Amino acid sequence: MKQLTCPVNGLRDIDEFQYLGPRRATSAQDASAVVCHVFYVENPIGPMVEWWRHRPSNTVFLAERHTATDAVLRTWLPGEEDLLHV
């Protein structure tokens, strides 16, 4: 079974997680920009940062996943971006 590392709870089976979507660079206040981003943005091959939630603990975090290999490169809690030096 595929597994994902929760930054708080460690390595867990993927069925404990909920995918919340990609991290957006657009403001939610600009509806037209959000629509363009969701429906018209290209799907690039390579690393992509996504929001995930560990359902049992309700921990929301970010994961960097490679879209071609589906490999998760790293996971971290929101606000820890400045602490990561990858």
Side-chain angles (χ1 to χ4, degrees):
M1 174 173 278
K2 183 174 180 176
Q3 296 184 314
L4 184 61
T5 300
C6 173
V8 173
N9 300 291
L11 192 63
R12 300 284 193 237
D13 289 342
I14 196 71
D15 61 354
E16 291 186 18
F17 295 92
Q18 176 186 9
Y19 174 74
L20 300 176
R23 180 169 65 176
R24 308 230 190 288
T26 60
S27 168
Q29 295 175 351
D30 183 3
S32 63
V34 172
V35 168
C36 286
H37 183 77
V38 171
F39 295 105
Y40 301 110
V41 71
E42 289 190 30
N43 188 12
I45 294 176
M48 184 167 136
V49 177
E50 304 166 324
W51 287 101
W52 286 81
R53 181 174 74 97
H54 182 239
R55 290 188 317 237
S57 66
N58 202 32
T59 302
V60 176
F61 63 95
L62 293 150
E64 185 175 22
R65 182 180 62 85
H66 196 285
T67 58
T69 64
D70 201 32
V72 176
L73 307 173
R74 60 187 172 133
T75 59
W76 67 95
L77 294 172
E80 291 183 349
E81 291 90 324
D82 296 335
L83 302 175
L84 298 172
H85 301 286
V86 176

